[in-house]
Amino acid sequence: NQIESHPYYAQNDLIEYCQKEGILVQAYAALGGQDGTKAKWKALGGKLLESAPVLDASKRLNKTPAQILLRWSLQRNCAIVPKTCDPDRMKENSDVFNFELSEEETQAIASLSEGVGNDEGRLCWRTEKLRMLDGIP
């Protein structure tokens, strides 16, 4: 099951259900997506790649913020497919299997969603009118 999932939109209940039923979850937008506006990022507390828990783990582990966020998804047993065309980024994104986040780091990153409403953390498909048909009778 491919779903948007990142610290601002973790979808814990859905992931837990899928895993209980033996359904593999693939988290897209693990770095936070591309559809967030400046106002949206400000309302959420800033970009995930610049958040304090991510930067703290990045510094301690000598990894990039992107690697920290990808590892966070992996440690939740989610498959990830980071989007990039840059060969250097592809190499960087694949270098996430030689370290682990501590329980404290994992929880600190997960806490970024505290105070964020159910769909408020959703960052993908937010501006595409065809994707917002749920309000149409």
Side-chain angles (χ1 to χ4, degrees):
N1 191 11
Q2 187 181 62
I3 61 171
E4 177 181 353
S5 181
H6 47 76
Y8 284 146
Y9 194 55
Q11 302 211 61
N12 295 321
D13 292 340
L14 178 57
I15 290 173
E16 183 180 326
Y17 172 80
C18 287
Q19 291 174 345
K20 184 178 114 192
E21 297 297 322
I23 300 167
L24 175 69
V25 174
Q26 182 182 55
Y28 70 81
L31 303 180
Q34 301 176 32
D35 294 345
T37 62
K38 287 182 183 179
K40 178 73 166 182
W41 286 116
K42 185 176 180 181
L44 290 171
K47 292 186 177 186
L48 287 170
L49 291 167
E50 300 167 0
S51 66
V54 172
L55 293 175
D56 289 346
S58 173
K59 183 177 179 180
R60 183 185 77 79
L61 294 163
N62 197 31
K63 295 291 182 179
T64 68
Q67 289 170 318
I68 298 300
L69 287 168
L70 295 173
R71 185 67 204 180
W72 182 81
S73 290
L74 288 172
Q75 285 185 216
R76 298 176 73 220
N77 295 316
C78 293
I80 52 171
V81 181
K83 178 182 170 184
T84 185
C85 295
D86 182 318
D88 291 332
R89 285 269 167 86
M90 288 179 198
K91 185 176 183 329
E92 175 186 305
N93 290 343
S94 68
D95 188 24
V96 294
F97 300 102
N98 60 354
F99 71 98
E100 284 192 14
L101 299 172
S102 70
E103 183 64 30
E104 294 79 21
E105 289 165 332
T106 301
Q107 289 177 357
I109 293 168
S111 75
L112 290 168
S113 67
E114 289 177 6
V116 177
N118 287 344
D119 273 347
E120 291 176 30
R122 186 174 171 202
L123 294 166
C124 296
W125 310 112
R126 298 301 295 168
T127 57
E128 190 175 320
K129 294 182 188 324
L130 291 176
R131 301 293 180 177
M132 300 303 294
L133 297 177
D134 49 346
I136 297 176

